Amino acid sequence: MNFEQIKSLDNQYVLQTYGRNSVAIDHGKGATLWDTEGKEYIDFTSGIGVCSLGYANEQWAKAIYDQAMKLGHISNLFYTEPYAVLASKLVSASGMAAAFFGNSGAEANEGMIKTARKYSYDKYGQGRATIITLKNSFHGRTITTLKATGQDHFHEFFFPFTEGFRYADANDMDSLLAQSGDDVCAVMMELIQGEGGVNPLQKDYVQAVAKLCAEKDWLLLIDEVQTGIGRTGSLFAFQQFDIQPDVVTFAKGIAGGLPFGGFLTNEKCRNVLKAGDHGSTFGGNPMAASAANVVMDAMTPAFLQEVKEKGEYLRAGIAALNSPYVSGIRGMGLMVGVGVQGMTHKELKDKLMAEGLLALTAGKDTLRLLPPLVITKEEIDKGLAVMAKVMK
Ligand SMILES: *Cc1c(COP(=O)(O)O)cnc(C)c1O
């Protein structure tokens, strides 16, 4: 089918819940994509931070194929090898204690929220269920994770929302203390707010929050759905903030493109959720777990160091454009935010796309770049050349 045929089929039969780009992507290799009309793009999106090993990675595809030919699915009522192996890899690389597997970021955050509330209920009884989250955060699209999201416009239409969330300003301990109280059981945050505009939290603030949580026996809940699995140049971003969460979630990049999400708990929380308290039919599916094992095996210290270096190279390249449209450059590793002025972030994204570079937007005025972690210097240079053409 050509683009117009696909688009008209979609418009007739699909709920139009996305602000889609006028392009149908057909295939890719590495960090390069081609649309149905044969046009080539450099990809600075990875889906939305998902395709960490790029497109058509042979080891990844082979692991999925081999597992599909062996056992495509079995319920969580049985043990499977890829599942247990993946959990052991995540635990040993993160300093956490045990894993739960689901299918998406919102579902991972739901499980983390349930862990915090049950931890508190088991120890202190009812009335201590409130979770403090940060303004400008994003935690997902379910009724509970929408309410956990600290942006008012996500709290419309779908009433009644889950109770028990209060919001503090990021990087502001006084604001957090003002939301404190006997009803609180946890603080939940992203270390770099992704959808909110690629806003990194300050290290001293994060460490002060961790200390406060330890003092009050509030759980420290870190949402690494976007920042996790190598994106920032360490397996988890929290490892660069020198903190240890009680619970941390991951999703987007973990299985390189198959649906997968989950959370890791520390020793203190590993027995909070018991048999029957939580579950997921598809969670930890053997094909998805096999794909995730390939992604985890790629996360060597040398690979993570390259992610850091490529991120610095990309940020330096953007800074060197001296573009009048750039108001600032933020981020860590290959999670890069470019403040846009003089046109809207959407206008800029569309102009880049027309010239062969795919990018994302975030917040009110940020161009968000999340290239595949395997992107080459040559591909980054091609992307920078498009940025130079459009933004000089
Ligand atoms: C994308 C995202 C989510 C939601 O993940 P889904 O897989 O879309 O449910 C939650 N938290 C953060 C930080 C995210 O970036």
Side-chain angles (χ1 to χ4, degrees), residues 129-386:
T130 297
I131 297 173
I132 303 174
T133 70
L134 299 185
K135 290 182 191 164
N136 217 22
S137 58
F138 181 78
H139 296 300
R141 296 275 185 179
T142 62
I143 293 284
T144 296
T145 56
L146 276 176
K147 199 64 202 285
T149 293
Q151 302 185 52
D152 290 341
H153 72 94
F154 284 105
H155 306 158
E156 295 175 334
F157 317 128
F158 309 114
F159 304 101
F161 288 95
T162 306
E163 292 171 31
F165 293 95
R166 288 203 294 270
Y167 314 101
D169 293 315
N171 292 322
D172 182 344
M173 274 314 275
D174 291 337
S175 173
L176 186 73
L177 288 168
Q179 298 304 328
S180 176
D182 294 339
D183 61 335
V184 173
C185 69
V187 175
M188 172 170 169
M189 58 196 194
E190 306 156 88
L191 297 174
I192 305 173
Q193 297 184 324
E195 306 297 317
V198 194
N199 305 312
L201 297 191
Q202 291 155 9
K203 189 168 176 178
D204 56 350
Y205 168 77
V206 172
Q207 292 186 342
V209 174
K211 189 159 166 276
L212 183 70
C213 285
E215 279 165 22
K216 303 223 178 234
D217 199 17
W218 297 346
L219 294 193
L220 179 61
L221 311 179
I222 303 295
D223 177 349
E224 294 229 29
V225 167
Q226 191 158 153
T227 52
I229 320 300
R231 175 57 54 189
T232 67
S234 49
L235 183 66
F236 286 101
F238 78 72
Q239 294 165 314
Q240 294 182 65
F241 285 79
D242 299 321
I243 55 157
Q244 196 68 30
D246 292 296
V247 189
V248 59
T249 53
F250 54 85
K252 292 188 165 85
I254 178 71
L258 289 195
F260 205 112
F263 59 92
L264 300 167
T265 78
N266 63 3
E267 205 54 51
K268 183 167 96 171
C269 297
R270 72 177 292 151
N271 292 315
V272 171
L273 297 176
K274 298 187 170 65
D277 288 338
H278 196 49
S280 167
T281 297
F282 287 114
N285 165 279
M287 289 184 288
S290 295
N293 274 316
V294 174
V295 173
M296 283 300 293
D297 289 345
M299 300 289 136
T300 61
F303 181 90
L304 294 168
Q305 183 58 32
E306 274 182 39
V307 170
K308 276 190 191 160
E309 285 166 13
K310 287 188 282 191
E312 279 161 26
Y313 182 75
L314 176 57
R315 284 194 294 273
I318 297 166
L321 299 177
N322 281 316
S323 168
Y325 299 109
V326 173
S327 63
I329 305 170
R330 302 182 293 277
M332 280 165 69
L334 284 171
M335 180 167 182
V336 175
V338 181
V340 181
Q341 61 188 13
M343 63 175 129
T344 69
H345 56 356
K346 292 216 165 86
E347 280 165 353
L348 178 55
K349 178 216 32 154
D350 287 342
K351 284 184 179 166
L352 294 169
M353 190 171 70
E355 297 296 336
L357 175 64
L358 301 185
L360 297 158
T361 59
K364 289 188 192 71
D365 59 3
T366 301
L367 191 75
R368 180 173 39 149
L369 310 178
L370 304 171
L373 304 182
V374 296
I375 192 167
T376 62
K377 283 254 167 79
E378 293 70 38
E379 285 168 320
I380 294 177
D381 285 340
K382 280 192 192 175
L384 285 169
V386 173

